[in-house]
Amino acid sequence: MTKLSVNINKIATIRNARGGNMPDVLKAAIDCELFGAEGITVHPRPDERHIRYRDVFEIRPLIRTEFNIEGNPIPQFIDMVLEIKPHQVTLVPDSHDVLTSNAGWDTLKHKDFLKEVISVFKQHNIRTSIFVDPDNEMVKHAADTGTDRVELYTEAYASNYPLNREQAIEPYYNAAKAAQEVGLGLNAGHDLDLNNLWYFSRTIPALLEVSIGHALVSDALYMGLEKTINCYLQQLK
Ligand code: PXP
């Protein structure tokens, strides 16, 4: 079964719009788990425009399922992850000015750097995942870094899904096979939603986890968080 990890950044974005504590991000994390989510993902960015570093510290003791922290491994991020010790850290090559993650790592160009960072996390028994485009070469080079998993960046799948879902998923299927061949676990995320998730999860072999934020929180405006999480879980069955 593929696990659903709910990315709660968007809830923090709404809270930050007014400067108070509504909606309450900590309560949202607890409730997502209560409603069946199998993990909570946060993605603190250096400008803290979504989840703040302080939120991440406060959420940690509340988590009963799996805590996944995503981000660019700048020194401040690495220190925080080592202090918090989440179940998983997902390394994302975000630059400062992007609206959201918009590319995977070049795991050939940055192999030495990734190797070094991953060895630090491994020494602290934190599972690692590297965000990559659906490119067999990038997946294979990722394996050389010592990472446990890769997360496939699914934006291209999501945008091509309405045009031709077989074509949209092909590079992802191939990348998933490549990951299996080199012994990497597989996660996926970005722009997955109630339209495209079922086909992705039934077609991609050995998909361990999806992290979903934007669409899930948007759906919750109409359906409520509990029903929405249940709908996403149904797609993964
Ligand atoms: N995975 C990564 C690495 C991300 O940066 C994000 C967005 O923060 C997601 C998954 C979730 O994407 P979405 O919000 O589109 O579901």
Side-chain angles (χ1 to χ4, degrees), residues 144-178:
D144 297 338
T145 67
T147 189
D148 301 295
R149 296 187 185 183
V150 285
E151 177 182 329
L152 296 179
Y153 174 39
T154 45
E155 190 275 333
Y157 164 72
S159 54
N160 292 320
Y161 176 89
L163 309 173
N164 183 331
R165 68 182 192 175
E166 286 82 14
Q167 261 177 32
I169 209 156
E170 201 182 328
Y172 291 86
Y173 180 80
N174 295 335
K177 284 284 184 196

Side-chain angles (χ1 to χ4, degrees), residues 3-193:
K3 282 188 177 173
L4 172 66
S5 184
V6 175
N7 180 320
I8 59 171
N9 263 42
K10 203 104 295 156
I11 294 173
T13 309
I14 299 173
R15 177 200 61 190
N16 297 352
R18 278 292 173 95
N21 194 38
M22 189 166 80
D24 183 337
V25 172
L26 305 186
K27 179 169 162 36
I30 294 169
D31 287 342
C32 284
E33 288 191 328
L34 214 88
F35 300 150
E38 293 139 324
I40 300 293
T41 292
V42 291
H43 190 147
R45 290 191 161 86
D47 63 8
E48 302 201 305
R49 66 185 190 274
H50 308 139
I51 278 280
R52 300 177 183 135
Y53 275 54
R54 189 173 144 207
D55 294 325
V56 184
F57 281 97
E58 289 179 355
I59 291 167
R60 176 67 181 108
L62 308 174
I63 301 295
R64 299 283 171 268
T65 56
E66 183 198 282
F67 196 32
N68 174 42
I69 306 182
E70 300 174 345
N72 192 331
I74 57 173
Q76 186 191 7
F77 177 87
I78 295 176
D79 291 346
M80 180 195 61
V81 172
L82 293 181
E83 202 177 328
I84 290 182
K85 290 199 175 44
H87 302 93
Q88 177 174 272
V89 59
T90 301
L91 307 182
V92 184
D94 285 343
S95 55
H96 279 279
D97 47 352
V98 292
L99 209 54
T100 181
S101 309
N102 57 7
W105 285 96
D106 181 334
T107 51
L108 176 58
K109 189 170 168 194
H110 299 289
K111 193 180 286 186
D112 289 343
F113 170 69
L114 289 168
K115 221 183 234 179
E116 202 180 306
V117 171
I118 281 165
S119 82
V120 173
F121 291 133
K122 305 291 293 180
Q123 279 163 29
H124 289 78
N125 294 318
I126 301 167
R127 190 171 75 221
T128 58
S129 181
I130 298 181
F131 194 54
V132 288
D133 293 319
D135 175 323
N136 293 8
E137 286 308 303
M138 291 301 123
V139 170
K140 285 179 186 159
H141 289 298
D144 297 338
T145 67
T147 189
D148 301 295
R149 296 187 185 183
V150 285
E151 177 182 329
L152 296 179
Y153 174 39
T154 45
E155 190 275 333
Y157 164 72
S159 54
N160 292 320
Y161 176 89
L163 309 173
N164 183 331
R165 68 182 192 175
E166 286 82 14
Q167 261 177 32
I169 209 156
E170 201 182 328
Y172 291 86
Y173 180 80
N174 295 335
K177 284 284 184 196
Q180 267 185 330
E181 275 165 27
V182 292
L184 289 176
L186 192 73
N187 296 341
H190 224 286
D191 297 299
L192 294 173
D193 63 23

